[in-house]
Structure formats: C-alpha cells, structure tokens
Amino acid sequence: MTLTGLGRLRPHVVVWTVLALLVNAMPLLTPILNEGDSVLYAALSQHMVVSGNWNDLILDGRDWLDKPHFPFWLGALSFQALGVSVFAYMLPGFLFHLLGAYYTYRIARLFDDRDTALVALLVYASAYHLMYTTTALKAEAFLTGSIMAACYHWLRFDTHHRMKHVLLGAVFSAMAVMTKGVFTLITIGSGLVCMWAYQSRWRELFRLKWWLAGLLTAVCVTPELLALYRQFDAHPEKTVFNQTGVSGIRFFLWDSQFGRFFNTGPITNQAGNKLFFVAVFLWAFLPWVAAFGAACWHAVRGWSERHVAWRSRWVYLAGSFAVSFVMFSLTSFQLDYYTVIVYPFAALMCAPWLVSAFLKHPVGLRDGCKPLSAFSPSCWPCGWHGKLAMYELEWF
C-alpha cells in the first residue's frame, strides 16, 4: 500500500476529521454546563481555587472521596489562569481529546502508512461516544488522552531504549492512574503483554528496564498518594461513607477499583450484565461498528497469509482492546462510558481495512461516504445519547 492509496478521498478525510473536532470544540462556547458529572467536577475544581486548598476535594462542605485528583487539578489550574467559566473548565478536557487523537495517529504511523493513519484519526474523531465523553467532559476524556500517549511511548521504549520514552511513558501512565485508578495500567500494558506472549518474549516481563519503568511510574503517582494521605489517612476522625478511619490510599489502590470489580467496596452495584458493553458498543462506536466487525473478520480469515510483523501488530491492538473490554464486562459495576478508553484501539483496527476496502472498491466506498459527510456531523450533538441509552436499557 502506498501513500497514494486514498487518492482524491484524502482531502475529504482531512475535512471530515476537522469537522468532527470542531463539533467537539462547540461546548467551549456554551454558557452553561448541562451534564451532571461536569457540574460536580467543576464545583470541586472551583473550590480549590476559591479556598486556596489544592490538596482536599470538598463538595458542599464535606470531604469527597471517589475520583483521584488529576482532572480537578487541571480544572483548577485552568480556572486560575482563565477565570471561572465554562470555557476554562472544558478546555483541558478538549486538549486531552486532541492529545488522544494525536497519539492515535502516531501509533497508526508506527504500524502503517500516512493514509491509514489519517483514517484512524478520522475514526477516532468521529466515533460517537468518544465525542460525547469530550463534549460532556467526563474523566474518560483525560483518561483516553493519557492512555494513548502512554501506549505510544511504551511501544517506542519496547524497541528503542531512549530516555525520553521511558520518562514520557511514566508521566502519562501516572496521569492515567491519577485520573481513574490503577486499573488503567491494565489497559496500558495489556497490548504489550499479549504481543510478547505471541512472540514468545516472556523474558520481557522480567527485564530490569520494565521494572524501572514501573518504579518511575509509581514515583510520578506520589502527588496523588500524598494528597490522599493528608486529607484522609492523617485524619482518621473524618466521617466518609458513614464511617470513620477510612484510608484514602486504600480506597485509591483497592476499593475504588477492585472493590467495585468484586463488589466488596463502599460503592457497589449488583445489576451488571455480561453483554452490557456489547450492546453499548453497537451504538457507542457509530458510525464505524460495521467497519470494526468487517476488519476483525478480515483479519481472522486472512491470518495465515499475513506476515509475522502484521500479526504482531494486530495482537497488540486486539489485546489492548479486548482485555479491558472483557474485564469491564465481567464486573457488576457498569456504566456505558467505561469502555470509551479502548475505542481508539478499535479505530486503529478499523483503519487498515477501510483503506484496503477503498483500494478494492473506490467508487462504492466514496459514494457510501457521501451521506456520512452530511449526516454524521449534524446528528452527533443532537441528543442521540438519551434515545440510544433508552433502547439499551429496554434491551436488557
């Protein structure tokens, strides 16, 4: 495949990508926050700026223990620099969405040519739920950008022992951990482990460079641990979850993640369904669900004909996607946006098939994309989420 693969379609791909990113930027100009989580997170960040206490998470005058500090520190920094406004609050999340787009493109360039990387970028920018979590500014916007950046630098560190990759990999991994918790390291590392297993490179698990990388990541997480210790562990008299003696560090390292997974923590949910995220994916990855299915079928059917390097790349992407997807599906605590963090890997899996499909059927694919260019940008911000979520709930 050459750089001329997309031909005249390439400018259209660029335009569609820019349009999708502009749709994502629209909430920067709105006067109000109309999403529950966004209002809550903005209040936590605002309290930091108003009170001057950047260590404690306080909501309505009470200690708040649920999410790590990193998104709230970014929100507070933006408020401090730009003033308290919707624009200031939404800007960091949008920038992390762009960060995820950039590193999705960079990972695609590690594996394929420029045209394939452009298509992967388009899929990332236009997948419905990736757009929604950015416009609604959930923690997943920060998480997706951090994870894709970490994955890129760890992939580079796997083959190039350059200091900048281990440093940036550790920093971005720590950002992901300080956004959602230690489980994010599973998403970051699962692809590499699966690729090593396929290549029979089990020794990588015991190499000193990876243990040092893990140690550096732990060092970068230290600000979160210190903040939790100062707010909770150093004050066992505080009442949290209707009890005293609550350890913020234990909650961060165990209860908020594995406690929810096993339903043994202070926050539980018994209503999970093993097929919940399968149903979610069918609408959350629109308009690329069919392309994802076709790409997977094409990869499996032609597996024996592919060269080893291609199969290793596919194992990496499939492992990064499937391990976390299955992990979330096995839990009882399920929310539709949890699996958004693996959708960039689905975009990377789709892109080569989409380019090859265009090479085989350029006229049909180009004509099929015309309705998409008119239909998708107009419908994404128009409230599909509520309707599709209703159908999803009825399905179960």
Side-chain angles (χ1 to χ4, degrees):
M1 191 180 301
T2 67
L3 292 178
T4 60
L6 288 177
R8 294 181 179 179
L9 189 61
R10 188 185 299 113
H12 296 279
V13 171
V14 174
V15 170
W16 293 338
T17 302
V18 172
L19 284 175
L21 293 174
L22 288 176
V23 171
N24 272 306
M26 289 172 61
L28 293 171
L29 306 178
T30 59
I32 60 173
L33 292 174
N34 55 8
E35 171 68 28
D37 285 348
S38 295
V39 175
L40 186 150
Y41 297 164
L44 290 163
S45 298
Q46 183 182 19
H47 180 271
M48 287 183 174
V49 176
V50 173
S51 67
N53 180 0
W54 292 62
N55 185 87
D56 295 355
L57 294 177
I58 304 295
L59 182 66
D60 296 330
R62 298 181 179 180
D63 293 282
W64 189 81
L65 181 60
D66 188 354
K67 300 291 190 298
H69 286 64
F70 184 68
F72 312 117
W73 282 331
L74 288 180
L77 283 172
S78 187
F79 284 157
Q80 186 79 22
L82 303 174
V84 177
S85 65
V86 173
F87 177 84
Y89 175 70
M90 299 293 291
L91 182 61
F94 178 68
L95 293 178
F96 266 77
H97 180 67
L98 295 181
L99 184 72
Y102 171 75
Y103 276 107
T104 298
Y105 178 87
R106 292 295 300 270
I107 292 175
R109 287 293 287 127
L110 287 178
F111 295 157
D112 290 290
D113 58 37
R114 188 185 305 167
D115 282 349
T116 304
L118 284 174
V119 173
L121 181 59
L122 170 64
V123 176
Y124 173 96
S126 58
Y128 169 70
H129 223 205
L130 278 167
M131 298 185 73
Y132 172 74
T133 54
T134 304
T135 55
L137 195 53
K138 296 183 179 295
E140 277 66 24
F142 301 98
L143 191 58
T144 303
S146 301
I147 286 175
M148 297 311 295
C151 286
Y152 171 80
H153 288 290
W154 291 136
L155 271 171
R156 296 285 286 168
F157 186 59
D158 185 45
T159 55
H160 300 81
H161 300 170
R162 297 181 63 180
M163 183 60 67
K164 77 171 186 178
H165 292 306
V166 68
L167 290 176
L168 289 174
V171 168
F172 284 118
S173 296
M175 288 181 181
V177 172
M178 293 190 294
T179 297
K180 205 72 173 182
V182 293
F183 88 90
T184 57
L185 296 177
I186 297 175
T187 306
I188 292 170
S190 57
L192 276 175
V193 174
C194 289
M195 185 175 68
W196 292 340
Y198 176 74
Q199 297 172 337
S200 298
R201 295 169 57 198
W202 292 106
R203 291 183 179 179
E204 295 293 332
L205 294 172
F206 307 101
R207 291 189 65 180
L208 180 61
K209 76 169 190 176
W210 292 111
W211 286 93
L212 292 176
L215 179 61
L216 183 58
T217 301
V219 171
C220 293
V221 177
T222 302
E224 177 65 29
L225 299 177
L226 289 175
L228 290 169
Y229 176 82
R230 292 177 61 185
Q231 184 174 3
F232 297 104
D233 294 70
H235 297 280
E237 74 281 359
K238 289 185 176 181
T239 300
V240 183
F241 303 126
N242 296 319
Q243 56 184 316
T244 58
V246 174
S247 170
I249 294 177
R250 173 186 167 83
F251 180 85
F252 171 66
L253 295 177
W254 183 263
D255 290 335
S256 67
Q257 308 293 303
F258 303 102
R260 295 189 186 191
F261 187 92
F262 297 111
N263 261 322
T264 59
I267 303 176
T268 61
N269 183 6
Q270 303 293 336
N273 187 296
K274 300 299 185 291
L275 295 177
F276 175 79
F277 286 113
V278 175
V280 167
F281 185 76
L282 295 178
W283 60 262
F285 199 60
L286 287 172
W288 307 106
V289 179
F292 178 80
C296 291
W297 170 249
H298 181 74
V300 172
R301 186 179 63 177
W303 187 262
S304 60
E305 302 172 2
R306 302 287 187 174
H307 54 78
V308 175
W310 184 95
R311 285 182 288 187
S312 296
R313 298 196 300 263
W314 184 265
V315 167
Y316 172 82
L317 295 174
S320 298
F321 176 88
V323 170
S324 294
F325 193 93
V326 171
M327 177 181 69
F328 285 126
S329 297
L330 294 176
T331 66
S332 296
F333 201 99
Q334 298 171 332
L335 294 171
D336 55 47
Y337 50 83
Y338 279 3
T339 51
V340 168
I341 59 176
V342 300
Y343 292 173
F345 299 108
L348 291 164
M349 295 163 72
C350 287
W353 180 85
L354 286 167
V355 173
S356 66
F358 175 76
L359 291 174
K360 293 178 181 178
H361 309 287
V363 177
L365 188 62
R366 184 170 62 246
D367 291 342
C369 287
K370 287 179 181 178
L372 173 66
S373 63
F375 175 70
S376 296
S378 62
C379 72
W380 283 322
C382 292
W384 276 28
H385 178 71
K387 295 180 181 179
L388 290 168
M390 185 184 300
Y391 298 151
E392 170 198 322
L393 291 173
E394 291 176 355
W395 195 78
F396 284 105

